[in-house]
Amino acid sequence: MKTLVWFLFGVAGGFVVAHFMNKDPRGHEILADVDARITEFTDRIADAYREQESRFAGLVEDARGAAAETVANAKAAASDAADAASETARKLTD
């Protein structure tokens, strides 16, 4: 509980210091620079996330296509096997 109080005190103190810094032109410049760097960082992270997301989407689509092809091949093989078994049964009964 004591740690939480100190944490909240530090956050509140940071807001107060930032408010006073923002009033001074040099402080305002520093805060604007920090804000620009944070924005640049978050933009880079967002771009990297979108790039990875598109890569995964491509991999999933490739896997989906391969699975569909495998299912189609399995159906064809099962159909061929059923036809062969049916043909064999017909020959045995004749």
Side-chain angles (χ1 to χ4, degrees), residues 36-51:
R37 288 180 186 208
I38 289 172
T39 301
E40 179 185 353
F41 175 75
T42 56
D43 288 345
R44 285 184 182 186
I45 295 295
D47 290 343
Y49 176 81
R50 284 187 211 98
E51 181 182 332

Side-chain angles (χ1 to χ4, degrees), residues 1-4 7 11 14 18 20-21 24 31 37-38 41 43-44 48 52 59 74 81 87 92:
M1 186 68 179
K2 189 177 183 182
T3 306
L4 178 64
F7 174 74
V11 169
F20 283 118
M21 278 184 70
D24 182 31
L31 290 177
R37 288 180 186 208
I38 289 172
F41 175 75
D43 288 345
R44 285 184 182 186
Q52 284 296 97
L59 290 174
E87 182 67 27
L92 289 175

Side-chain angles (χ1 to χ4, degrees), residues 3-77:
T3 306
L4 178 64
V5 170
W6 279 110
F7 174 74
L8 293 175
F9 182 72
V11 169
F15 278 114
V16 169
V17 168
H19 177 73
F20 283 118
M21 278 184 70
N22 198 31
K23 285 184 176 182
D24 182 31
R26 291 175 297 173
H28 182 76
E29 214 174 281
I30 291 171
L31 290 177
D33 184 47
V34 169
D35 183 51
R37 288 180 186 208
I38 289 172
T39 301
E40 179 185 353
F41 175 75
T42 56
D43 288 345
R44 285 184 182 186
I45 295 295
D47 290 343
Y49 176 81
R50 284 187 211 98
E51 181 182 332
Q52 284 296 97
E53 187 178 36
S54 67
R55 282 185 192 167
F56 286 141
L59 290 174
V60 168
E61 192 59 38
D62 291 346
R64 189 175 290 154
E69 184 179 339
T70 301
V71 167
N73 290 340
K75 282 182 181 180

